[in-house]
């Protein structure tokens, strides 16, 4: 069955291994299937839900685009653009925010995590971010959305909004109900310093993540220093429970090697962490370093990157403008 794919990444800093394995690697695999039509967005409107330095934001938009291209996305196969160039996203978001319910948004765990203890000081944008995400997806009639496990709840909200709109305006199947595409075993890459916390751009410790742009030495050092426990490596996947750091390192290894977690577990059964770390660092350097080289090459020609984004935004605007216009007709404008 042909799929309409939509997904996005925020230009909020260096992309890390979690973004790559949880999302971008999957984007590239989906692009390989000729039956799929894929749209990948640098979601810069989402980025400004927390304070951004204008100059750094501009640089990050180009860097995220370069990371897409360096990882294997191709603008002749997929639409690649940045959200702020396509006004339909903001317009669609407003229309859908009048359908979404406060109670639904109040349940979003990411808002609670990101707003922290002082919710009063969080931006209104951070609170309604999931509605903008729903507009991003629904304006393109996306059938499938590749995301990491952390975005599952937002995707459920997107489905609820679409269903409510279709019911309220008596137009069943008008907004398409999208399916999440979440990888089975490696959908949540964890911090290298704490296997119970998600690897994330906003973690103050750079040691907690492998950035796509890290040098070979940085990769090797970070893996060498990654937190472990004191037992020998497990014999079976079931023994990984309660050993989050081991599970994470084996998960990263398996994802990079495209092999099941139980195959990797067997490969290192009974060995020491140092052997796993050495092999993992080797594989990471082999897979990630070429991407970082390519990013650096692409960033030397920012006009090329801007051209890709402009061309992508023209294509995206054409599709999403039509859907916004249809939504407005349904509403009664
Ligand atoms: N640790 C992760 N494991 C697996 N997937 C992940 N993703 C993010 N972190 C992990 C997936 O990457 C895609 C793009 O994420 P994003 O940049 O739009 O937003 P995010 O989830 O907020 O990313 P970060 O790095 O965690 O940023 P901060 O620190 O600002 O919160 C999404 O599909 C996401 O699931």
């Amino acid at each position: 069955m042909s799929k309409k794919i939509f997904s996005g990444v925020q230009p909020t800093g260096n992309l890390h291994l979690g973004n790559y394995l949880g999302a971008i690697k999957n984007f590239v695999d989906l692009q390989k299937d000729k039956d799929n039509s894929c749209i990948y967005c640098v979601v810069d409107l989402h980025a400004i839900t927390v304070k951004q330095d204008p100059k750094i934001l501009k640089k990050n938009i180009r860097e995220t685009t370069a990371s897409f291209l360096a990882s294997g996305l191709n603008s002749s196969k997929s639409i690649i653009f940045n959200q702020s160039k396509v006004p339909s996203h903001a317009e669609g978001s407003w229309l859908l925010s009048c359908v979404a319910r406060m109670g639904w948004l109040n349940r979003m765990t990411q808002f609670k995590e990101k707003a922290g203890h002082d919710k009063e000081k969080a931006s209104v944008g951070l609170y309604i971010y999931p509605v903008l995400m729903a507009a991003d997806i629904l304006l393109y009639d996306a059938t499938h959305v590749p995301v990491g496990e952390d975005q599952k709840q937002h995707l459920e909200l997107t489905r609820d909004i679409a269903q409510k709109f279709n019911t309220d305006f008596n137009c069943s199947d008008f907004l398409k109900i999208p399916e999440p595409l979440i990888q089975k075993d490696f959908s949540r890459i964890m911090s290298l310093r704490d296997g119970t916390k998600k690897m994330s751009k906003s973690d103050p410790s750079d040691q907690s993540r492998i950035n796509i742009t890290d040098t070979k030495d940085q990769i090797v050092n970070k893996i060498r220093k990654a937190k472990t426990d004191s037992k020998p490596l497990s014999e079976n996947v079931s023994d990984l429970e309660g050993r989050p750091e081991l599970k994470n390192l084996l998960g990263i290894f398996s994802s990079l090697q495209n092999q099941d977690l139980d195959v990797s577990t067997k490969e290192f059964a009974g060995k020491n962490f140092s052997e796993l770390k050495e092999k993992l660092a080797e594989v990471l350097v082999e897979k990630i370093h070429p991407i970082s080289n390519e990013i650096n090459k692409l960033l030397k020609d920012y006009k090329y990157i801007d051209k890709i984004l402009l061309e992508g935004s023209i294509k995206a605007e054409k599709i999403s403008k039509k859907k916004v216009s249809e939504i407005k007709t349904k509403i009664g404008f």
Side-chain angles (χ1 to χ4, degrees):
M1 189 192 91
S2 67
K3 298 187 180 105
K4 282 191 183 173
I5 311 288
F6 182 96
S7 197
V9 174
Q10 294 190 62
T12 40
N14 274 339
L15 295 193
H16 54 72
L17 195 63
N19 299 131
Y20 178 70
L21 296 179
I24 300 175
K25 184 167 169 278
N26 213 2
F27 297 178
V28 178
D29 289 340
L30 288 161
Q31 179 193 253
K32 284 183 192 148
D33 186 336
K34 285 195 186 62
D35 285 338
N36 293 340
S37 59
C38 302
I39 306 182
Y40 297 121
C41 185
V42 178
V43 285
D44 47 10
L45 295 177
H46 285 279
I48 61 164
T49 53
V50 293
K51 199 168 184 319
Q52 301 291 334
D53 176 318
K55 283 202 189 89
I56 295 177
L57 179 62
K58 203 176 186 97
K59 176 176 150 284
N60 283 341
I61 293 167
R62 288 182 177 137
E63 257 183 43
T64 304
T65 313
S67 307
F68 278 6
L69 300 173
S71 304
L73 292 185
N74 181 334
S75 63
S76 62
K77 293 187 184 150
S78 301
I79 298 179
I80 298 171
F81 73 107
N82 60 320
Q83 201 183 21
S84 63
K85 283 238 167 60
V86 179
S88 321
H89 288 252
E91 192 177 5
S93 172
W94 174 256
L95 300 173
L96 296 178
S97 71
C98 297
V99 175
R101 304 290 93 182
M102 292 282 286
W104 298 353
L105 285 170
N106 286 340
R107 284 198 286 277
M108 295 297 115
T109 51
Q110 196 182 71
F111 174 75
K112 290 178 196 158
E113 281 164 21
K114 290 202 170 177
H117 294 304
D118 204 353
K119 288 194 190 56
E120 299 291 312
K121 288 210 170 128
S123 73
V124 176
L126 188 66
Y127 181 69
I128 59 160
Y129 161 123
V131 182
L132 176 60
M133 178 165 159
D136 299 340
I137 296 165
L138 300 175
L139 294 186
Y140 298 93
D141 291 335
T143 57
H144 294 83
V145 184
V147 281
E149 167 70 32
D150 58 316
Q151 291 295 335
K152 195 169 166 218
Q153 195 185 33
H154 290 165
L155 212 67
E156 276 157 13
L157 182 91
T158 300
R159 292 164 60 91
D160 289 342
I161 292 174
Q163 256 147 3
K164 181 159 167 51
F165 186 97
N166 291 345
T167 307
D168 286 358
F169 296 99
N170 202 11
C171 51
S172 71
D173 210 34
F174 167 66
L175 291 180
K176 302 287 174 267
I177 312 295
E179 294 290 334
L181 284 178
I182 297 176
Q183 299 185 77
K184 193 165 58 77
D185 282 329
F186 324 114
S187 57
R188 206 170 163 82
I189 304 298
M190 310 310 273
S191 156
L192 298 178
R193 308 301 290 164
D194 176 352
T196 61
K197 261 174 62 188
K198 177 180 103 135
M199 185 178 284
S200 127
K201 294 178 203 122
S202 53
D203 192 314
S205 164
D206 193 56
Q207 293 294 323
S208 68
R209 62 186 161 260
I210 303 284
N211 302 304
I212 288 198
T213 50
D214 278 348
T215 62
K216 287 182 190 172
D217 286 350
Q218 282 171 319
I219 294 176
V220 172
N221 258 322
K222 285 179 182 179
I223 294 298
R224 199 175 286 147
K225 289 191 184 143
K227 187 175 169 200
T228 54
D229 55 48
S230 54
K231 290 187 266 174
L233 306 195
S234 304
E235 304 277 335
N236 297 301
V237 172
S238 55
D239 302 332
L240 297 176
E241 286 323 308
R243 303 186 69 185
E245 284 81 21
L246 173 58
K247 191 173 179 193
N248 191 36
L249 295 181
L250 283 171
I252 295 172
F253 182 79
S254 308
S255 178
L256 290 165
Q257 297 288 70
N258 290 318
Q259 69 184 22
D260 286 344
L261 189 59
D262 61 329
V263 175
S264 307
T265 308
K266 294 258 162 3
E267 192 175 327
F268 292 100
K271 296 189 175 160
N272 295 322
F273 268 103
S274 58
E275 287 171 80
L276 167 61
K277 284 182 166 185
E278 197 177 313
K279 193 81 193 123
L280 175 59
E282 211 176 279
V283 176
L284 271 168
V285 169
E286 182 194 316
K287 306 264 173 167
I288 299 297
H289 197 58
I291 300 179
S292 116
N293 272 344
E294 187 59 23
I295 293 173
N296 289 331
K297 255 194 253 164
L298 285 163
L299 286 175
K300 288 196 181 118
D301 187 1
Y302 72 84
K303 287 196 176 141
Y304 171 71
I305 294 178
D306 291 354
K307 183 169 159 276
I308 300 257
L309 291 175
L310 179 65
E311 287 171 359
S313 69
I314 293 168
K315 291 182 200 159
E317 174 70 357
K318 205 168 151 201
I319 304 169
S320 54
K321 203 173 169 184
K322 180 165 175 283
K323 194 73 184 185
V324 166
S325 160
E326 289 168 5
I327 293 175
K328 286 166 90 173
T329 306
K330 299 274 181 222
I331 290 175
F333 289 138

